[in-house]
Amino acid sequence: PRHDTRYLAFVDVSGGRGDDAALAIAHRDERKVVLDYVKAWKPPFDPHQVIASMAEELRRYGVRRVTGDNYSAEFVASSFDSCGIRYQKSELPKSGLYMELLPRLCSSEIELLDNEALLNQLAALERRTRSGGKDIIDHPPGSHDDLANAVAGVSWLTSTKRVMAGAAGF
């Protein structure tokens, strides 16, 4: 971490049984999103201990607020809060985050880390049309996308312009 760089973070937290938990931290360098950190925790695990570990890494990067996917049971927000990190739910669902990530990947506007699990998860994503004609992007049945979701989320956060008004961001 560099003291003169503003980092943003996105988490995909699970209950500790079936899915991994994942954290991604990135910053913006002109037009490019630069992924600085990505980590997955494999189950079984105590989600409170994983969140405490994530909070340590967030503090190391100077991040005091983290965004997460819509799974976000109340224990996630309270567990981050007990570690001094503010948690907020993503405005976009997972599929929306993937749709936002696709053009960045295709135009080389994101610099990924050389992480085999992440690259495999991104490559395995599938676009499917649901009844009613709405497209979703998700992992194939029996697969995981926790790292991909965290990276898509932090890419969206880092790429989205936010207007600051007083202490609140819009």
Side-chain angles (χ1 to χ4, degrees):
R2 296 180 296 199
H3 72 281
D4 62 340
T5 301
R6 181 173 179 255
Y7 296 95
L8 296 169
F10 196 95
V11 295
D12 183 335
V13 180
S14 79
R17 289 190 200 139
D19 281 342
D20 295 352
L23 168 64
I25 300 172
H27 73 277
R28 188 162 183 91
D29 184 11
E30 295 181 22
R31 287 186 46 104
K32 189 174 277 200
V33 173
V34 178
L35 186 61
D36 294 284
Y37 179 90
V38 65
K39 181 173 180 178
W41 287 260
K42 301 277 184 209
F45 56 76
D46 176 341
H48 297 289
Q49 288 179 346
V50 167
I51 288 171
S53 180
M54 288 177 172
E56 271 184 52
E57 206 57 47
L58 292 168
R59 283 191 294 275
R60 195 167 78 84
Y61 278 86
V63 176
R64 300 288 182 240
R65 178 176 55 194
V66 67
T67 303
D69 67 2
N70 289 325
Y71 163 74
S72 313
E74 186 54 37
F75 86 86
V76 175
S78 63
S79 191
F80 272 110
D81 188 51
S82 71
C83 295
I85 303 291
R86 186 169 156 240
Y87 178 85
Q88 61 190 37
K89 283 187 185 181
S90 173
E91 297 168 21
L92 290 180
K94 178 169 61 171
S95 192
L97 294 173
Y98 289 143
M99 288 191 191
E100 292 288 326
L101 178 62
L102 184 60
R104 285 182 191 81
L105 288 170
C106 292
S107 62
S108 299
E109 289 182 6
I110 183 167
E111 188 176 302
L112 299 173
L113 294 170
D114 189 15
N115 179 296
E116 186 177 355
L118 168 62
L119 299 177
N120 287 339
Q121 287 181 15
L122 289 170
L125 292 173
E126 299 176 341
R127 189 176 202 151
R128 297 186 288 270
T129 303
R130 299 174 90 178
S131 58
K134 185 176 180 178
D135 281 353
I136 64 162
I137 299 175
D138 204 355
H139 60 81
S143 296
H144 296 278
D145 66 346
D146 311 289
L147 285 170
N149 185 31
V151 168
V154 80
S155 171
W156 172 73
L157 285 174
T158 308
S159 300
T160 304
K161 292 198 186 270
R162 287 174 170 65
V163 177
M164 297 304 287
F170 299 96

